Amino acid sequence: MAKERDNWLLTPSAMGEVDAAAAASGIDSFGLMEKAGQAVAAAVLRLFPGGERFVVLCGPGNNGGDGYVAARALREAGAVVAVFHLGDPAKLKGDAATAGSRCPIPGEPLETWRAAEGDVIVDAIFGAGLARAVPPVVADVVRRVDEAGLPVVAVDLPSGIDGRSGAVLGAAFRARHTVTFMTRKPGHLLLPGRLYCGAVETVDIGIPFRLVEAKGERLFVNGPEEWRTAMPTADAAAHKFRRGHLTVFSGPAAATGAARLAAGAGLRAGAGLVTVASPTDALTANAAHLTAVMLKAVDTESDLADYLRDERRTTFVLGPGFGVGPRARTFVTALATAGRHLVLDADGITAFAEDPQALFSAFADGAPRLVLTPHEGEFARLFPDLAADPALSKVDRARQAAARANAAVVYKGADSVIAAPDGRAAINENAPASLATAGSGDVLAGIIGGLLAQGVPAFEAAAAGVWLHGDAAQRAGAGLTAETLINHIDRWH
């Protein structure tokens, strides 16, 4: 596939619409199934050339049809192949029935499969379209495959994974490799589904990409293609005020480190000036550690009003180490009233837990000026109804939250979702496990703030910040700390 297409994501329902549109346009739908199954067989032979027996598990729908094609192709390549089917193959319909009739290998009921040494499993039972718990017979086969430690190649998505949400529907195969078609699905990236897919290979089976674009859901894999054109550029005329002024609010004397991490990250992300706005009792602690970052005493709402008289102070980060209470709410309201841009994180989010609507109302007008960066618990404090709704995927929750708050929302996690009020959303995939360390979130808030200060729109700043955060972690290596992470931020992509 063309590189610029690699970041597209379609839900299973949208992919079904693409398949239907392809058939309606005159494209031979069985020809597409043939290409899909042949691609699966090629991947299996490439990955497991020493497999003694290839066991193809076929379901009752089109995923099973792909499996029957793959089984035939494997047999034609000289491999030993066994087919086991769920349900009655005589009840197959459409292209799946055609594929089943052309497969020369007699199938046996799924429940009769028994593990043999050297087996390689090809999972073509359900794929991405499953929306209910797998039946007991499938759950039992999943358990037996796991116990035998056999390698699995999944067709489209491991059976048992919800392609829309990434949820495990009762039980699911753990694949070493997954072959999907045209685009990845959200379930390939969202947890826990991502952990079941192994390496994901996306195969172009010949559907014109204009049909994919026509059914696109404004959902993408987060990457530079989504925000590069919005990033600031360095030129000879650049100076510090043109590159923006970021202010990070510090907590009290015993809780100043988080703000300094955010400030340092904002500076590294390209903000021309960065100031830590500190309580007076924390000035000494902050001054002892700051060099290029400036320091200003801001204790009260009146102090903040004085500080805001300089209209060049456009962008703020509030939350890291700040403390929860009325002062946080008062400062946020003042920033909203003054028309400033704000990254609200950590304590700043929790401060509005009892009245989220007060926050949403403050930033309700105009283009988004607010970026929210909640982890799972903080998200539930602001959006308890969304967090509690099992019918919603993480993408659904983030999108609805962004629309409600008129904000860019970074719903954090190893599978962070970034959403905009207009419905755009991106799933991040480049964050290594090493980011699960104290202060990492403060660095993220600072990166986003630094980009906002330079005039990057809220959604693009949030998406770029999340990706650059993951990129920096990869550069820093497994032993990273939040302090060392800052030194690896590289926005010039």
Side-chain angles (χ1 to χ4, degrees):
M1 295 177 67
K3 186 171 179 58
E4 64 270 16
R5 300 175 179 179
D6 289 350
N7 62 328
W8 279 71
L9 294 171
L10 287 182
T11 60
S13 60
M15 192 65 230
E17 292 177 6
V18 170
D19 290 337
S25 73
I27 295 172
D28 176 16
S29 59
F30 182 74
L32 299 177
M33 181 174 285
E34 182 74 19
K35 291 178 182 177
Q38 292 283 349
V40 170
V44 170
L45 292 171
R46 182 179 74 249
L47 293 166
F48 300 102
E52 295 184 21
R53 182 177 70 152
F54 297 98
V55 176
V56 185
L57 310 180
C58 293
N62 282 345
N63 196 251
D66 296 339
Y68 286 114
V69 173
R72 172 168 51 82
L74 289 167
R75 168 66 67 84
E76 289 171 351
V80 176
V81 185
V83 173
F84 294 85
H85 51 76
L86 176 65
D88 183 357
K91 295 182 179 180
L92 291 171
K93 297 179 181 179
D95 293 330
T98 302
S101 68
R102 294 185 182 183
C103 180
I105 306 162
E108 301 175 52
L110 182 63
E111 57 269 24
T112 65
W113 170 77
R114 296 294 180 268
E117 187 174 349
D119 274 359
V120 175
I121 306 299
V122 180
D123 164 30
I125 301 177
F126 290 124
L130 187 68
R132 63 188 185 281
V134 298
V137 63
V138 174
D140 181 62
V141 170
V142 168
R143 177 185 58 78
R144 289 190 279 127
V145 168
D146 282 347
E147 289 175 351
L150 298 175
V152 176
V153 175
V155 180
D156 202 15
L157 198 74
S159 293
I161 299 297
D162 185 330
R164 184 181 64 88
S165 70
V168 176
L169 300 172
F173 289 102
R174 290 186 179 271
R176 301 256 188 106
H177 192 84
T178 297
V179 181
T180 194
F181 312 109
M182 299 309 299
T183 76
R184 285 184 282 175
K185 317 305 181 289
H188 291 123
L189 282 84
L190 295 173
L191 294 175
R194 180 194 297 182
L195 304 178
Y196 287 74
C197 292
V200 179
E201 176 183 353
T202 306
V203 176
D204 185 340
I205 57 173
I207 297 175
F209 207 76
R210 59 182 172 78
L211 299 181
V212 175
E213 292 175 318
K215 301 298 180 181
E217 300 163 293
R218 309 185 80 190
L219 178 61
F220 302 94
V221 181
N222 189 29
E225 297 85 0
E226 298 312 306
W227 37 260
R228 183 182 282 123
T229 57
M231 293 286 277
T233 56
D235 57 55
H239 56 78
K240 61 186 179 183
F241 285 107
R242 183 174 169 186
R243 288 173 58 185
H245 191 157
L246 173 66
T247 300
V248 181
F249 289 100
S250 171
T256 58
R260 289 196 301 274
L261 286 171
L267 192 66
R268 180 80 182 191
L273 293 152
V274 181
T275 297
V276 169
S278 171
T280 299
D281 70 356
L283 285 172
T284 300
N286 279 315
H289 296 280
L290 297 176
T291 49
V293 173
M294 299 181 292
L295 187 61
K296 177 71 175 178
V298 177
D299 287 295
T300 66
E301 186 178 2
S302 176
D303 295 336
L304 179 57
D306 289 340
Y307 187 77
L308 291 174
R309 287 195 176 95
D310 187 339
E311 295 185 355
R312 295 175 296 183
R313 294 165 174 162
T314 60
T315 307
F316 295 78
V317 174
L318 189 150
F322 190 81
V324 177
R327 183 167 171 265
R329 295 190 293 273
T330 297
F331 276 30
V332 168
T333 302
L335 294 171
T337 301
R340 300 312 206 257
H341 292 77
L342 173 64
V343 180
L344 193 64
D345 184 43
D347 291 346
I349 291 172
T350 301
F352 285 91
E354 294 183 5
D355 188 9
Q357 190 56 47
L359 172 64
F360 307 154
S361 297
F363 286 90
D365 297 329
R369 295 179 287 117
L370 176 64
V371 179
L372 299 171
T373 57
H375 57 55
E376 195 77 42
E378 292 161 350
F379 186 93
R381 290 168 201 149
L382 287 186
F383 309 99
D385 57 323
L386 301 180
D389 189 342
L392 299 179
S393 71
K394 189 170 185 176
V395 172
D396 298 331
R397 294 186 181 106
R399 279 174 160 159
Q400 292 189 32
R404 185 180 300 179
N406 191 36
V409 171
V410 178
Y411 193 172
K412 293 192 294 193
D415 57 349
S416 290
V417 175
I418 309 96
D422 63 9
R424 287 175 294 162
I427 305 174
N428 200 66
E429 66 170 345
N430 77 336
S434 54
L435 274 175
T437 187
S440 171
D442 307 321
V443 172
L444 173 60
I447 297 172
I448 296 171
L451 296 174
L452 274 177
Q454 295 170 81
V456 180
F459 173 74
E460 286 81 359
V466 171
W467 191 89
L468 292 170
H469 189 237
D471 180 67
Q474 292 182 13
R475 294 168 183 269
L480 71 84
T481 64
E483 292 91 340
T484 60
L485 179 63
I486 292 171
N487 296 327
H488 293 275
I489 298 166
D490 180 8
R491 69 188 180 94
W492 304 114
H493 282 79

